[in-house]
Amino acid sequence: MNEELNLFYEDSLEQLQYMESALLDSLDGTADLEKIGEIFRAMHTIKGTAGMFSFDDVVSFTHIAENLLDKIRAQEIDFTKELVSLFIRVKDVTQIMVDDLVENGSINKLVKADAEKIKQELRQYLTTDNEVFEKENSADKKQENHNMTSWHISLRFDKNFFSSGMDAVSLLKYFKNLGKIVKNVAIIDAIPSLDTIQVSEVFIGFELDFMSDCTKEDIEEIFEFVEDDVEIYIFEKENLKAWEELFARYSDKLKQQLIDAHSYIPVLVEEKEKMDAFTPEKPEQKVAVEQKSELKKRNFSLKVDSSKVDYLINKISEMVIKNAQIAGYASYKEDEDLEEMSLEMSSLLEEVRDGVMNIRMVQVKESFVKYRRIVNDTAIKLGKKIDFVIEGEDTELDKSVIEKLSDPLTHMIRNSIDHGIESPSTREKKGKTPIGKVFLRAYPDAGSILIELEDNGAGINKAAVEKKAIENGLIDANHNLNNKDIYKLIFAAGLSTANEVSSLSGRGVGMDVVRRNIEELRGTIDVDSTENVGSKITIRIPLTLAIIDGFLVQSGHTKYIIPLEMIVECIEYTEEYISKTKGAKTINLRGEVVPLLHIREFFDDRLGSEELGDNDNNIRENIVVVRYGTTSVGLLVDELFGEQQTVIKSLGSIFEKIPGISGGSILGSGEVALIFDIPKLVEFRVQNERKAS
Amino acid sequence: MYTPVFSKLNIKFVDEFYKELYWEMTNDENLNIDFKNLQYIDLSGLQLLVAAKKTNFNVSFKNFNEEIKELIALCGLSDILKDTQ
């Protein structure tokens, strides 16, 4: 997909998302002008950008929708529930059309038929056929009735404009949607003869006279997707100063060409300029202009292809590794100055890293909005009433993480409504309100982000899960699992306790995929539930996926990295300590019983007798206390090396399944260090403790 | 007389058309180009026709369909890319 088309696609999806959110807010019949304005702007923007790509079907479809919204905005038509539902369909069909056009270059016949049907429905709200016709030809109407401005637009294309994939003729065509092209003088002087022409380059330019009631910003928007490839100069035709500036750049021949074409009429312009000199600017106009420019300033943002950010992250990762090598070399050479410089470089790299990572961070709100639609549709389908509450939507998370969370969350939300929330009558029988509540929350917690999905439905039937798991051979009848572990079985493959398979869920396919997706993000899931009160699923995921602050340790022959944010403290395992606790599997940490996990034993990485000397005691051991959630575990390791930035590298398919290891990293020395999967190690140790007891 | 087979003259086909046109114009000083097959033209195609006209004013065009005539007018090229039919 070329860059412009990609921008169109992203922009359209974003607009449709805003539109959907505003529509869902309006479902209860409380739409305010701001919401209606958002819906209108979405249709207007998509119509505009689709026009630039000559996507005529989208233009005509969104045009009628826009006309009707215009009437709603003017409060000539009530924005009833029926209309909101109709516009939800408009949004859906627009999205499918955009998808089809971007992916296949054409719109599926069935979708076109659907669009036609909706267009008919929209037309019914516009009082007469004539009105539709008039509205559809609003550009002409506007010319007659409104205060038109006469614009002059000078267009020069970058010579490589054609490689942008945009057709400049489409841009000109689009002007017709906004007003009337009074004159277009083609500037052809630069076009070479056939002997020397490079057909892939642009030599032509245009000087347009354009009448419209649109603003300069509206005209600039036409070129939004190609602003780097087109030199545009837009001004009111009567602005003498602007003409002078433009003419200062033009050859005499071109000036004459414009004068001959009556595009530039010096005398008239001069007269008008004089008259304007006596018209004082109204103070409120000035304030409005200032406010507008301030608004523009505030909303300034840059759309960057995410691959460019990924490229930067990769390069920073390489720099982190190189700097670690320099630090290692400085230490080896005992060069204190170089060590100092490397340390400074490390701190600078950390800042750059955080800055670049921050570019990838987006508010979860953008993604969460779509779940409202899923809740709405699922509830309607199942005849249930749901109050869906989103909390912490300003929480920021890596964009790629958000994208990967999309499918699991969709599945879980559907499950929650299908199996969790009871029908209104059942709820009333249970003494509950007929409207079920589903909460979706996001908030940061100790270097991770927690996402909670909570409902006040029927809860998980523990006995049914247990029974099914035993039947499926997932657990033994004499198991020793606690409630949480039993609930977690819902994420096992093929386990569904639903009595009926619905179109939405109940086949037992999905929750295991949810778990896998979350684990791929180095995340974990916890389930808590109380029968007839509700369930809460908590997903914990790391903030970023590429670089972490780590703590380097060694155990046996292998170096390991522990994510720094999970370390509580390090304790030297002194001889005294050893003799006190010899053979013990826990330590007493200021009154808290902390289970120990001997890393050498866990990974079966025992040292040979030469390395060991007479006995294990010759190895200086340390305990690194890590915490995951509310549980602490002491990791018994041989050596501590300290903090370092860690670039996470995948271990590849052969090694990716090693329990307790989430990835690898290359150290400055070129050695590979393995990154501990702390949640897995903690889980393993806690389960062992439980079995033993 | 030269009747290009191209139904589209856009950036994808313009180079191929250029080669044919160059050959035809070298061999016929008063070349008349029949665009009866042409359904669509973009700016790269229009620009090439202007280049042809600038190279040899005697080259002429005919049978542009209505849509293409409109497009030529929109681009302010009606004077130079006249349909001689």
Side-chain angles (χ1 to χ4, degrees):
Chain A
M1 201 189 303
N2 72 43
E3 204 173 328
E4 281 75 19
L5 198 58
N6 193 28
L7 275 175
F8 161 71
Y9 185 62
E10 282 183 9
D11 202 44
S12 301
L13 290 194
E14 195 176 84
Q15 292 297 336
L16 289 168
Q17 218 168 52
Y18 291 144
M19 179 175 175
E20 186 172 72
S21 171
L23 284 167
L24 291 170
D25 281 342
S26 313
L27 264 176
D28 56 0
T30 58
D32 54 22
L33 280 177
E34 197 183 330
K35 294 273 173 254
I36 298 167
E38 272 178 35
I39 303 165
F40 177 86
R41 272 193 299 281
M43 285 286 96
H44 177 75
T45 309
I46 293 171
K47 186 187 89 173
T49 47
M52 281 180 252
F53 289 87
S54 298
F55 293 155
D56 296 338
D57 289 321
V58 178
V59 173
S60 74
F61 184 66
T62 48
H63 186 70
I64 296 184
E66 185 192 3
N67 286 341
L68 184 52
L69 285 163
D70 201 16
K71 279 199 162 252
I72 296 167
R73 205 165 54 153
Q75 292 176 314
E76 290 171 34
I77 296 176
D78 287 340
F79 203 27
T80 57
K81 270 187 179 179
E82 289 70 33
L83 259 177
V84 175
S85 301
L86 180 58
F87 273 102
I88 289 178
R89 285 166 58 210
V90 168
K91 179 257 153 190
D92 286 346
V93 170
T94 310
Q95 183 154 352
I96 298 170
M97 286 202 283
V98 169
D99 283 346
D100 272 7
L101 283 165
V102 172
E103 279 170 28
N104 314 317
S106 62
I107 299 170
N108 180 297
K109 274 182 190 169
L110 292 173
V111 179
K112 272 189 184 180
D114 229 10
E116 272 312 311
K117 210 173 137 198
I118 293 175
K119 268 159 90 173
Q120 289 302 331
E121 288 179 52
L122 291 168
R123 280 193 183 104
Q124 283 169 12
Y125 287 90
L126 292 161
T127 46
T128 63
D129 285 348
N130 275 345
E131 191 162 359
V132 178
F133 176 79
E134 279 169 29
K135 277 280 187 180
E136 284 180 14
N137 293 281
S138 58
D140 292 337
K141 194 181 169 192
K142 277 176 189 171
Q143 284 163 33
E144 286 160 22
N145 299 339
H146 295 290
N147 293 327
M148 307 293 281
T149 307
S150 196
W151 296 99
H152 184 83
I153 300 149
S154 170
L155 293 177
R156 296 295 182 275
F157 301 92
D158 182 88
K159 67 174 185 177
N160 297 316
F161 177 83
F162 290 146
S163 62
S164 72
M166 288 286 287
D167 181 7
V169 177
S170 301
L171 296 175
L172 293 178
K173 272 187 187 169
Y174 187 70
F175 273 97
K176 285 166 53 178
N177 291 337
L178 293 180
K180 188 180 177 187
I181 296 177
V182 180
K183 190 168 283 294
N184 185 9
V185 178
I187 308 303
I188 59 170
D189 292 9
I191 300 179
S193 69
L194 273 195
D195 297 326
T196 53
I197 193 169
Q198 293 291 325
V199 291
S200 58
E201 292 180 4
V202 186
F203 303 98
I204 199 166
F206 297 105
E207 297 288 337
L208 285 170
D209 283 349
F210 180 59
M211 289 270 285
S212 172
D213 63 351
C214 65
T215 63
K216 187 178 175 188
E217 284 75 22
D218 290 335
I219 301 172
E220 281 169 343
E221 259 183 37
I222 300 177
F223 301 94
E224 193 185 353
F225 291 90
V226 286
E227 57 189 8
D228 294 336
D229 301 315
V230 188
E231 194 184 328
I232 321 157
Y233 198 57
I234 306 166
F235 56 88
E236 286 187 33
K237 220 182 143 190
E238 293 165 348
N239 183 342
L240 185 64
K241 263 192 185 165
W243 273 113
E244 277 171 3
E245 277 173 32
L246 189 69
F247 268 31
R249 295 191 276 168
Y250 284 179
S251 67
D252 288 344
K253 192 178 169 191
L254 181 52
K255 282 180 207 165
Q256 196 54 51
Q257 207 176 337
L258 289 173
I259 292 166
D260 290 347
H262 306 292
S263 183
Y264 174 62
I265 308 165
V267 181
L268 282 178
V269 170
E270 213 168 332
E271 285 299 315
K272 175 73 180 154
E273 192 77 4
K274 277 178 195 164
M275 282 167 68
D276 282 354
F278 293 102
T279 316
E281 192 177 9
K282 289 177 189 168
E284 64 268 28
Q285 273 178 346
K286 198 175 174 188
V287 170
V289 169
E290 276 170 6
Q291 277 173 347
K292 200 171 178 184
S293 63
E294 184 59 30
L295 195 67
K296 272 206 132 180
K297 213 186 286 175
R298 276 206 303 271
N299 291 341
F300 178 75
S301 65
L302 198 61
K303 276 197 172 174
V304 182
D305 189 330
S306 62
S307 65
K308 288 183 184 171
V309 181
D310 289 342
Y311 174 80
L312 275 181
I313 290 174
N314 274 335
K315 286 292 150 198
I316 293 167
S317 305
E318 299 300 323
M319 285 167 78
V320 167
I321 292 170
K322 276 283 161 232
N323 193 49
Q325 282 177 352
I326 294 169
Y329 180 78
S331 163
Y332 171 70
K333 289 280 179 190
E334 293 179 357
D335 185 335
E336 283 181 11
D337 289 341
L338 191 58
E339 269 186 282
E340 183 66 28
M341 280 188 267
S342 163
L343 208 62
E344 279 172 27
M345 178 61 94
S346 173
S347 127
L348 284 172
L349 276 172
E350 209 169 308
E351 281 177 35
V352 177
R353 178 201 73 180
D354 289 347
V356 176
M357 288 296 202
N358 206 28
I359 300 175
R360 292 188 63 98
M361 303 298 264
V362 290
Q363 291 184 342
V364 293
K365 155 164 60 181
E366 288 175 27
S367 163
F368 278 14
V369 161
K370 73 171 180 198
Y371 300 123
R372 302 179 61 197
R373 174 68 187 278
I374 290 164
V375 171
N376 183 60
D377 290 357
T378 313
I380 290 172
K381 215 167 188 173
L382 297 169
K384 294 181 180 179
K385 288 180 179 168
I386 312 282
D387 181 12
F388 183 54
V389 183
I390 295 176
E391 288 173 7
E393 54 190 357
D394 293 340
T395 308
E396 290 190 329
L397 196 54
D398 192 304
K399 190 163 170 50
S400 60
V401 177
I402 289 184
E403 279 164 9
K404 284 176 189 157
L405 272 175
S406 172
D407 287 347
L409 275 175
T410 303
H411 192 88
M412 281 163 36
I413 288 170
R414 281 198 179 131
N415 248 11
S416 166
I417 299 168
D418 196 4
H419 303 312
I421 301 289
E422 311 92 331
S423 66
S425 57
T426 312
R427 288 182 67 85
E428 277 179 328
K429 274 180 208 160
K430 287 182 177 177
K432 293 177 170 181
T433 56
I435 302 172
K437 267 206 162 188
V438 176
F439 293 89
L440 182 60
R441 302 188 190 94
Y443 55 92
D445 179 73
S448 309
I449 292 290
L450 292 191
I451 293 174
E452 288 177 356
L453 180 69
E454 186 175 0
D455 66 59
N456 66 350
I460 298 171
N461 184 337
K462 192 183 119 192
V465 173
E466 210 172 348
K467 187 171 169 256
K468 197 88 180 177
I470 294 168
E471 277 171 18
N472 288 8
L474 290 170
I475 53 169
D476 194 79
N478 303 317
H479 68 83
N480 194 20
L481 299 179
N482 63 12
N483 285 356
K484 277 195 175 183
D485 290 336
I486 292 170
Y487 295 141
K488 269 182 155 181
L489 288 168
I490 62 169
F491 293 105
L495 196 135
S496 173
T497 58
N499 294 327
E500 287 175 30
V501 171
S502 72
S503 60
L504 297 162
S505 46
R507 293 176 195 278
V509 177
M511 288 305 254
D512 61 319
V513 180
V514 166
R515 178 180 47 87
R516 236 178 295 145
N517 283 5
I518 301 295
E519 282 175 355
E520 274 171 23
L521 291 167
R522 295 192 291 120
T524 55
I525 311 185
D526 263 321
V527 190
D528 204 0
S529 182
T530 309
E531 256 187 283
N532 287 324
V533 175
S535 306
K536 182 161 89 176
I537 299 179
T538 307
I539 298 173
R540 182 184 285 271
I541 33 174
L543 272 174
T544 59
L545 298 176
I547 306 177
I548 55 165
D549 285 318
F551 191 84
L552 186 66
V553 299
Q554 178 155 358
S555 181
H557 299 95
T558 315
K559 288 201 167 74
Y560 299 95
I561 285 165
I562 307 170
L564 199 62
E565 81 258 3
M566 292 183 152
I567 297 179
V568 179
E569 64 183 293
C570 297
I571 303 163
E572 197 179 334
Y573 205 33
T574 56
E575 271 187 40
E576 189 192 354
Y577 218 126
I578 293 168
S579 62
K580 264 194 208 167
T581 59
K582 185 79 180 165
K585 291 192 169 135
T586 56
I587 54 164
N588 181 345
L589 187 65
R590 293 182 292 275
E592 185 189 354
V593 179
V594 176
L596 287 176
L597 180 67
H598 204 304
I599 294 299
R600 256 192 274 151
E601 281 173 16
F602 182 79
F603 290 107
D604 201 14
D605 185 14
R606 290 163 204 276
L607 299 173
S609 54
E610 281 176 26
E611 292 158 300
L612 277 170
D614 299 333
N615 56 49
D616 260 15
N617 292 350
N618 286 2
I619 301 294
R620 183 171 158 259
E621 286 184 323
N622 297 275
I623 301 167
V624 182
V625 181
V626 292
R627 182 181 285 271
Y628 173 65
T630 53
T631 314
S632 297
V633 164
L635 305 178
L636 217 57
V637 297
D638 298 337
E639 267 194 84
L640 309 178
F641 294 103
E643 284 180 46
Q644 77 168 60
Q645 287 186 49
T646 305
V647 179
I648 302 171
K649 301 273 183 192
S650 159
L651 283 174
S653 53
I654 298 175
F655 302 107
E656 71 185 0
K657 300 284 181 203
I658 302 175
I661 297 296
S662 63
S665 183
I666 300 164
L667 301 176
S669 59
E671 283 174 279
V672 171
L674 300 172
I675 301 167
F676 279 149
D677 184 348
I678 297 295
K680 282 279 151 61
L681 290 177
V682 169
E683 194 182 334
F684 168 83
R685 185 62 189 87
V686 170
Q687 273 177 4
N688 262 18
E689 190 69 23
R690 213 174 280 141
K691 273 181 196 165
S693 63
Chain B
M1 170 74 80
Y2 159 51
T3 310
V5 291
F6 298 89
S7 62
K8 271 187 179 181
L9 265 187
N10 57 9
I11 191 68
K12 195 173 170 188
F13 301 107
V14 75
D15 193 44
E16 216 176 314
F17 172 63
Y18 168 65
K19 285 171 193 157
E20 276 190 27
L21 178 67
Y22 192 84
W23 170 256
E24 295 289 345
M25 281 183 64
T26 317
N27 291 301
D28 184 350
E29 281 188 6
N30 297 306
L31 186 67
N32 185 229
I33 309 171
D34 185 344
F35 281 110
K36 67 178 180 186
N37 296 319
L38 190 63
Q39 299 297 317
Y40 174 79
I41 191 164
D42 74 355
L43 195 64
S44 66
L46 290 171
Q47 187 179 259
L48 185 60
L49 297 187
V50 174
K53 194 76 183 172
K54 280 179 88 174
T55 307
N56 179 358
F57 197 73
N58 292 330
V59 68
S60 58
F61 316 108
K62 69 172 186 179
N63 275 331
F64 285 129
N65 70 26
E66 285 309 310
E67 211 174 313
I68 290 173
K69 277 183 194 165
E70 260 181 50
L71 209 125
I72 289 171
L74 177 72
C75 294
L77 295 167
S78 299
D79 288 343
I80 192 161
L81 301 182
K82 268 184 197 150
D83 193 318
T84 54
Q85 196 186 30

